[in-house]
Amino acid sequence: MKLWDYINEDLLRAKSSQIREIRALDNGKTVRVLCISSILISALLIVQFAVSPGLPEGSIIQYLYILTFGAIAVFSVVWYFLLSAISDTKSLRILTYVYAVGATLLTTSLTLVDLAHMTDYSAYCFGLLTLPLFVRTSIMTYVLIVAVNFFWFLVGYEFVLNEKIDFNTLAPIIAFSIGSLFSSVIVETARLKGNFLQLQLEESNRNLLELSHKDQLTGLYNRRHLMEAMNTMLSASKRYDFPVSALLLDLDNFKKANDMLGHLTGDRLLARIGGLLFGLVRDCDVAARYGGEEFCIILTNTGKDGALFVAERIRNSIESEIFEGVPWRVTVSIGISTLESDQNTEDFLKVADEKLYQSKSTGRNRVSA
């Protein structure tokens, strides 16, 4: 893949809310690990330079080392507790970027201290090459962090060390900067592939879960989900003492529609009924296809009077609806059951079924409770 194509693709990924959230959560974990590592390493090196620095006693270099490692340790302690206390992904992202810039600037400063008495670029190398290992972000942010450190090194070398910048000085800095950027491309590309596979798997699992609980023809819940939801709702009703009612609906003369108009028209009729029912119940209720041309609605926190009102509204809505391809008026019969304290799920539905039979046997297109 061409580098420019990668940069364009990465800019699009950086705008993805899902990828940004995953990156932020990953950063919150890995940067805390980096903070602990930095604290332990800094503490060890502070002790070394205080006890056996390998420098003339009282040298300004010794104090600069202790000061720099002390700053890294304090900075890491503060950021560890900040990252541990915050779960908001936007705040995590900002804290991560600030830590990445601050930590690499400190390692660049450490490089300047090294160069004050020996030729050693290891701190600069460590700071930039570990950046993509612990911090996840877009390629443009990596470029920005590397550029800030590069110019901070130039300023420090010229004005703090009072040394003349030449190619031999710049060559390792440029090399480590390029290495950091290309490492970030490789590492983040691998991470993103894993993230996309993870997101696709989660989406597939959600779709499979939804399919296992939905009736494909009507878009309502299927009988399996209905029974699970009903058991949960009935248990909650008995525990917290709120009413629950069930409506059992059956399309009148549906066999006539199938026989005279064909099964495709019958399927369209069932699908349209499902759409109507979905729009006529509350979000807290459960509307499901019970089987064939039968539908069941579980009304939470609804007694007998409320269930009668809902049932009549459904019956009137279906009766007044014009169904494409059906030349007669479509009606439904409805039976209502309101939960009693001694009823189980089977008894609860049995009452609704008996009331539905009563509606069918007394002329159809009516509600019985």
Side-chain angles (χ1 to χ4, degrees):
M1 180 187 292
K2 294 180 180 178
L3 181 59
W4 184 248
D5 292 338
Y6 170 82
I7 292 172
N8 285 332
E9 185 178 349
D10 190 70
L11 288 172
L12 292 175
R13 287 170 173 167
K15 294 177 181 178
S16 166
S17 59
Q18 288 179 308
I19 294 300
R20 291 175 74 180
E21 184 175 351
I22 291 173
R23 279 175 167 172
L25 294 174
D26 285 350
N27 285 335
K29 297 173 185 176
T30 57
V31 174
R32 286 202 298 273
V33 173
L34 179 58
C35 286
I36 294 173
S37 173
S38 300
I39 293 165
L40 295 175
I41 293 172
S42 298
L44 177 64
L45 293 174
I46 288 170
V47 172
Q48 178 205 327
F49 281 102
V51 176
S52 179
L55 294 163
E57 188 175 347
S59 167
I60 185 66
I61 301 298
Q62 177 187 8
Y63 296 127
L64 286 175
Y65 275 125
I66 293 173
L67 177 64
T68 305
F69 284 117
I72 292 173
V74 171
F75 185 56
S76 296
V77 167
V78 171
W79 248 252
Y80 177 84
F81 285 106
L82 283 175
L83 289 167
S84 300
I86 292 174
S87 58
D88 174 58
T89 53
K90 183 177 180 181
S91 300
L92 281 174
R93 191 163 61 249
I94 294 170
L95 285 173
T96 300
Y97 294 165
V98 173
Y99 183 84
V101 173
T104 52
L105 285 177
L106 286 170
T107 55
T108 301
S109 301
L110 186 60
T111 303
L112 294 171
V113 177
D114 284 335
L115 292 177
H117 68 105
M118 61 179 176
T119 305
D120 186 1
Y121 294 89
S122 59
Y124 192 94
C125 174
F126 176 82
L128 288 189
L129 291 184
T130 57
L131 176 67
L133 296 179
F134 286 93
V135 176
R136 297 197 57 188
T137 185
S138 67
I139 184 64
M140 298 311 294
T141 305
Y142 285 122
V143 170
L144 177 63
I145 294 173
V146 170
V148 167
N149 279 273
F150 185 81
F151 285 109
W152 173 236
F153 176 85
L154 296 182
V155 170
Y157 198 80
E158 183 82 28
F159 296 103
V160 177
L161 300 183
N162 293 317
E163 297 285 348
K164 196 70 177 174
I165 297 172
D166 56 21
F167 182 74
N168 289 333
T169 304
L170 284 180
I173 297 299
I174 295 172
F176 296 143
S177 299
I178 293 172
S180 176
L181 290 175
F182 277 87
S183 296
S184 68
V185 170
I186 294 168
V187 172
E188 190 59 23
T189 299
R191 284 166 168 162
L192 285 170
K193 285 180 180 178
N195 290 153
F196 286 128
L197 288 174
Q198 174 191 346
L199 291 172
Q200 288 171 359
L201 179 60
E202 290 174 355
E203 180 67 22
S204 297
N205 288 339
R206 282 194 295 270
N207 290 338
L208 287 172
L209 181 63
E210 184 174 342
L211 286 173
S212 69
H213 286 264
K214 287 290 185 73
D215 176 67
Q216 291 186 332
L217 178 62
T218 63
L220 299 178
Y221 289 114
N222 58 22
R223 185 165 181 160
R224 171 188 171 184
H225 180 88
L226 172 72
M227 300 310 294
E228 291 176 359
M230 189 181 302
N231 288 331
T232 301
M233 199 175 295
L234 265 58
S235 297
S237 170
K238 292 176 181 179
R239 181 172 182 178
Y240 299 108
D241 192 27
F242 62 84
V244 173
S245 295
L247 310 184
L248 206 56
L249 298 78
D250 185 83
L251 286 179
D252 297 327
N253 301 313
F254 181 71
K255 187 176 183 301
K256 175 183 173 184
N258 271 338
D259 292 344
M260 294 182 62
L261 306 175
H263 288 281
L264 287 178
T265 301
D267 286 348
R268 286 197 296 268
L269 175 58
L270 289 173
R272 182 73 185 113
I273 292 292
L276 285 172
L277 292 178
F278 182 81
L280 290 170
V281 298
R282 303 167 298 179
D283 291 339
C284 59
D285 300 326
V286 178
R289 187 181 181 188
Y290 193 63
E293 67 272 22
E294 286 188 325
F295 298 86
C296 184
I297 300 172
I298 307 301
L299 302 171
T300 182
N301 202 27
T302 305
K304 180 179 178 180
D305 291 340
L308 278 167
F309 175 81
V310 174
E312 282 294 343
R313 185 176 64 176
I314 291 172
R315 189 191 64 79
N316 287 327
S317 295
I318 293 174
E319 185 181 19
S320 59
E321 186 76 16
I322 297 174
F323 294 90
E324 182 181 357
V326 182
W328 57 77
R329 186 180 62 178
V330 176
T331 61
V332 292
S333 299
I334 304 175
I336 296 176
S337 172
T338 301
L339 183 66
E340 302 291 342
S341 59
D342 59 342
Q343 283 181 325
N344 56 28
T345 303
E346 185 178 345
D347 295 334
F348 181 52
L349 283 175
K350 184 179 179 182
V351 172
D353 190 53
E354 290 171 352
K355 294 299 179 182
L356 172 61
Y357 178 77
Q358 181 179 326
S359 294
K360 301 286 278 187
S361 60
T362 55
R364 298 186 176 89
N365 190 23
R366 63 191 62 208
V367 175
S368 299

